[in-house]
Amino acid sequence: MKNGKNLTRTQKLVLLSRDLNPKEWLLSKKLPDMWLLVHRRTNQTLALSLNSSSDAS
């Protein structure tokens, strides 16, 4: 697995808006429409979609 990188300030704000603690997540892969995050302690992966259109149901 690729090593996770520390988040930037704007990435931390995005995680806070999604009720995630940015101190516990690392950025593994940054795609145009999605981020792959890795939890610092449990190594759990999370695919975070950046499309705002998918939030509307």
Side-chain angles (χ1 to χ4, degrees):
M1 180 189 296
K2 188 176 175 183
N3 291 339
K5 303 293 182 190
N6 288 328
L7 300 171
T8 63
R9 184 176 185 174
T10 53
Q11 291 168 343
K12 289 178 185 179
L13 292 174
V14 171
L15 262 63
L16 282 171
S17 71
R18 308 256 177 134
D19 294 327
L20 294 171
N21 186 354
K23 292 181 180 179
E24 295 183 356
W25 294 95
L26 296 170
L27 185 65
S28 176
K29 187 179 266 189
K30 184 177 177 184
L31 300 171
D33 60 341
M34 182 175 68
W35 294 342
L36 291 178
L37 302 169
V38 178
H39 196 271
R40 286 182 188 265
R41 287 180 264 138
T42 63
N43 288 330
Q44 175 186 359
T45 58
L46 172 69
L48 188 67
S49 176
L50 301 175
N51 293 341
S52 61
S53 62
S54 65
D55 293 338
S57 359

